[in-house]
Amino acid sequence: MKITIVGSGYVGLVTGTCFSEVGINVVCVDIDAKKIDNLKKGIIPIYEPGLDEMISRNVEKGRLHFSTDLPGCVNDSDVIFIAVGTPPDEDGSADLKYVLDVARTIGRHMDRHMTVVTKSTVPVGTAAKVRNAIQEELDKRGLDISFDTASNPEFLKEGDAINDFMKPDRIVVGVESERTEELMSRLYKPFTLNGHPVIFMDVPSAEMTKYAANAMLATKISFMNDVANLCEILGADVNMVRRGIGSDSRIGHKFIYPGIGYGGSCFPKDVQALIRTADSVGYSMRILKAVEAINYDQKSLMFNKFMKYFNGNVKGKTVAIWGLSFKPQTDDMREAPSLVIIEKLLEQGCRIKAYDPVAMDESRRRIGDAIEYCKDPYEAAIDADALILITEWTEFRYPNWTVIKKLLKTPVVFDGRNIYDPKEMKKLGFHYYGVGIINGKL
């Protein structure tokens, strides 16, 4: 079987590489010639653990190829996956320009039956628009060629995407014919050996499933952050509350860790898109609007605590920041809490010294040299008036606090992810501030 993946960003590159890993012949296509040239040289445009080795292995085996020539790939493919970006419009709705451009290109060049699968995260009804765009181009050419469309949303976690694809919890596919269902069953058979099924459904339901899944996870995060803020006011410990409710099997322990908000390429964009989709048909997603508002405020939580600690007198203060990416195991800084905190600190005239294991190049690309970049967490702490932990990278979990205390001007730690024990920090002589717990000076 031969497949073409259009769009060699995060989703497209992981998808194409993992398909090639099980023996399928894959061509990853992108209009960015520099990106394709770099991929051919083994230069990977994203950070994802294990991806570079897998790409190299499958290129060497002759199963994975890169190209800018979509027209030349169309008729050499059994399945074409559309995995291009769907950036938010000004109103937060998903921009389908690139998806539909691909569909039109397919319609202009196809000369036999094929299946076109939407892999990008798109609003309900997009597959129908893809079908119409292809059909319009065929009509212009005066051709009567049958084709199928399908929806196959991705459920990949940045930092663990390869494992998610190779050993999926579930594979959701929206189809409109038995022929497509049989084709997708064959395509995904190597990935279902762990017993998890391919869940077939109608196309609109598959499109909705992706948005509903991300919206539900974002809701759990914002709900727990809201509870954490109330716990702090009432004198309760959200960590104890989390353990108490997480033990209920109906709730579970996942996505109920309080912190300073969600970020990344999926949750913010998908929550906004679902809100706008509902608005467009006259329905208000009231819960999701609250989820979005809570997350917006939560990103400023540690900054607000920092300002309160110093009674607003922070001009000229040096702040050590640990972590820049929106979560560990990725260099992705899209919608990252770090960007909000850094902007607010700079506005107050603070000097920032930051360290992140993998995201400092991405930070330089986004904000340049507005902050100082350090070689390790300890360098960031030298002569800092405060330490703010933003991303819970593993290497931050057990630092040498004796050394850190000597390096800091003021022994104060603002823990945006609750990874440190408040009692232990107090014993070590630190003023400690977390999320939803009893905070304060010694």
Side-chain angles (χ1 to χ4, degrees):
M1 187 180 295
K2 294 182 179 181
I3 65 175
T4 293
I5 311 287
V6 187
S8 296
Y10 188 86
V11 173
L13 198 53
V14 172
T15 299
T17 303
C18 289
F19 273 134
S20 69
E21 180 74 2
V22 297
I24 296 171
N25 194 301
V26 178
V27 180
C28 290
V29 175
D30 202 284
I31 61 173
D32 187 337
K34 183 177 180 181
K35 179 190 290 185
I36 293 299
D37 187 51
N38 282 339
L39 283 167
K40 290 178 178 179
K41 296 175 182 177
I43 302 172
I44 313 304
I46 60 173
Y47 175 81
E48 180 62 34
L51 183 61
D52 50 354
E53 295 93 339
M54 187 177 283
I55 289 175
S56 177
R57 179 167 61 250
N58 285 284
V59 168
E60 185 178 335
K61 295 288 186 180
R63 296 189 295 252
L64 181 60
H65 315 271
F66 303 103
S67 175
T68 57
D69 182 19
L70 176 56
C73 296
V74 167
N75 292 303
D76 198 33
S77 305
D78 299 299
V79 185
I80 298 177
F81 283 86
I82 301 177
V84 295
T86 54
D89 269 339
E90 292 182 5
D91 65 351
S93 60
D95 186 350
L96 300 179
K97 176 182 182 301
Y98 304 112
V99 172
L100 297 180
D101 281 349
V102 173
R104 294 186 187 98
T105 300
I106 293 170
R108 292 183 191 121
H109 295 91
M110 63 184 288
D111 58 19
R112 64 179 181 81
H113 178 274
M114 63 185 56
T115 299
V116 179
V117 182
T118 305
K119 195 73 174 172
S120 305
T121 300
V122 293
V124 175
T126 299
K129 293 180 179 179
V130 167
R131 167 170 283 283
N132 290 338
I134 295 172
Q135 189 60 56
E136 286 175 5
E137 295 301 325
L138 289 174
D139 291 344
K140 289 177 184 177
R141 297 167 61 198
L143 297 177
D144 182 17
I145 301 174
S146 67
F147 63 94
D148 290 310
T149 57
S151 173
N152 177 212
E154 53 86 14
F155 299 96
L156 306 176
K157 298 187 296 292
E158 290 190 49
D160 198 28
I162 290 176
N163 187 60
D164 285 342
F165 199 100
M166 301 301 292
K167 300 176 182 178
D169 291 327
R170 81 291 201 196
I171 299 166
V172 173
V173 185
V175 298
E176 56 188 12
S177 70
E178 291 184 5
R179 176 169 52 187
T180 303
E181 182 172 334
E182 292 174 0
L183 175 65
M184 297 301 284
S185 292
R186 284 192 287 116
L187 182 62
Y188 275 111
K189 185 175 181 179
F191 304 97
T192 59
L193 299 179
N194 59 1
H196 295 293
V198 178
I199 304 172
F200 287 102
M201 58 185 72
D202 61 272
V203 173
S205 295
E207 292 172 330
M208 185 65 179
T209 296
K210 169 64 177 185
Y211 277 119
N214 279 352
M216 174 62 79
L217 296 176
T219 298
K220 291 184 74 173
I221 293 170
S222 279
F223 172 78
M224 206 63 204
N225 285 335
D226 219 16
V227 169
N229 295 337
L230 181 59
C231 283
E232 197 166 319
I233 295 169
L234 299 177
D237 186 335
V238 74
N239 289 326
M240 297 296 103
V241 175
R242 173 180 57 77
R243 289 173 62 186
I245 67 173
S247 298
D248 186 328
S249 61
R250 296 170 300 176
I251 298 173
H253 292 283
K254 294 182 178 180
F255 287 87
I256 60 169
Y257 286 81
I260 48 176
Y262 59 77
S265 63
C266 294
F267 288 4
K269 178 171 69 71
D270 293 354
V271 167
Q272 285 185 10
L274 191 51
I275 290 171
R276 302 299 176 264
T277 296
D279 287 344
S280 71
V281 294
Y283 185 79
S284 177
M285 299 291 286
R286 291 164 291 175
I287 290 176
L288 288 189
K289 289 177 180 178
V291 166
E292 190 175 40
I294 291 166
N295 192 63
Y296 178 85
D297 291 342
Q298 201 71 11
K299 291 181 179 182
S300 298
L301 183 66
M302 286 298 131
F303 169 78
N304 294 336
K305 289 177 182 286
F306 167 79
M307 291 293 289
K308 184 177 180 179
Y309 179 85
F310 287 104
N311 297 313
N313 300 315
V314 300
K315 186 175 182 179
K317 297 289 186 185
T318 299
V319 181
I321 285 183
W322 286 2
L324 295 167
S325 57
F326 86 94
K327 72 171 188 176
Q329 301 302 318
T330 181
D331 63 351
D332 195 344
M333 289 182 63
R334 285 173 286 186
E335 303 286 341
S338 63
L339 294 173
V340 175
I341 294 172
I342 287 170
E343 181 181 12
K344 289 180 177 291
L345 289 172
L346 292 175
E347 286 175 352
Q348 294 296 321
C350 295
R351 173 192 176 199
I352 299 172
K353 300 171 66 182
Y355 170 74
D356 187 286
V358 303
M360 291 196 289
D361 285 344
E362 176 63 13
S363 181
R364 286 190 183 94
R365 188 184 71 81
R366 287 179 173 272
I367 61 175
D369 294 323
I371 65 176
E372 298 174 35
Y373 300 97
C374 301
K375 65 181 180 181
D376 58 42
Y378 297 94
E379 184 182 11
I382 295 174
D383 293 329
D385 294 285
L387 167 61
I388 302 178
L389 179 129
I390 296 178
T391 315
E392 65 277 31
W393 284 94
T394 302
E395 69 178 271
F396 298 152
R397 292 187 180 274
Y398 291 101
N400 187 326
W401 288 116
T402 302
V403 173
I404 296 296
K405 189 177 180 184
K406 290 178 180 178
L407 295 175
L408 292 172
K409 283 184 180 179
T410 310
V412 57
V413 175
F414 298 91
D415 179 2
R417 301 297 179 183
N418 283 3
I419 68 173
Y420 304 126
D421 185 332
K423 293 180 180 178
E424 181 182 344
M425 296 299 287
K426 186 175 181 179
K427 288 180 182 178
L428 290 168
F430 286 90
H431 303 160
Y432 175 80
Y433 295 84
V435 182
I437 58 178
I438 299 173
N439 300 293
K441 299 182 180 182
L442 293 172

